[in-house]
Amino acid sequence: QVQLVESGGGLVQAGGSLRLSCAASGRTFSTYAMAWFRQAPGQEREFVAAISGGGRTTYYANSVKGRFTISRDNAKNTVYLQMNSLKPEDTARYYCAADFNVLKVVRGDSGSWGQGTQVTVSS
């Protein structure tokens, strides 16, 4: 498993932007597919975006497509989530996940998860 630490969350007004980061431990980061999930209070965890190990393939939930961008820097062992045009319904705790298998990471079956970072969007 890989250790994951998220950062970059905070309070932002609707229409604003935030960039989340997820730093991973280990020397095999490029072999992991990475994903972002989110969970609001009282709701189930929701897939947001994923990226393949090499960064060539990305996946997005329909609710964030066109507003969020996932990217990674394998030299820095870090994956990012750029969030633009934020809406109050984007308020949630955002989690980073990693797995060798991209299908597992998209399904949320990853073996490695971070502790999350809180994003709050005010109206």
Side-chain angles (χ1 to χ4, degrees), residues 4-6 93-96 113-118:
L4 303 172
V5 179
E6 302 94 335
R93 191 163 186 84
Y94 284 70
Y95 297 88
C96 178
W113 292 85
Q115 294 301 306
T117 185
Q118 179 67 35

Side-chain angles (χ1 to χ4, degrees), residues 25-30 77:
S25 64
R27 295 177 289 179
T28 59
F29 180 69
S30 64
N77 280 19

Side-chain angles (χ1 to χ4, degrees), residues 49-67:
I51 188 167
S52 61
R56 294 181 180 179
T57 306
T58 56
Y59 308 82
Y60 293 96
N62 287 335
S63 59
V64 306
K65 202 171 293 183
R67 299 188 299 121

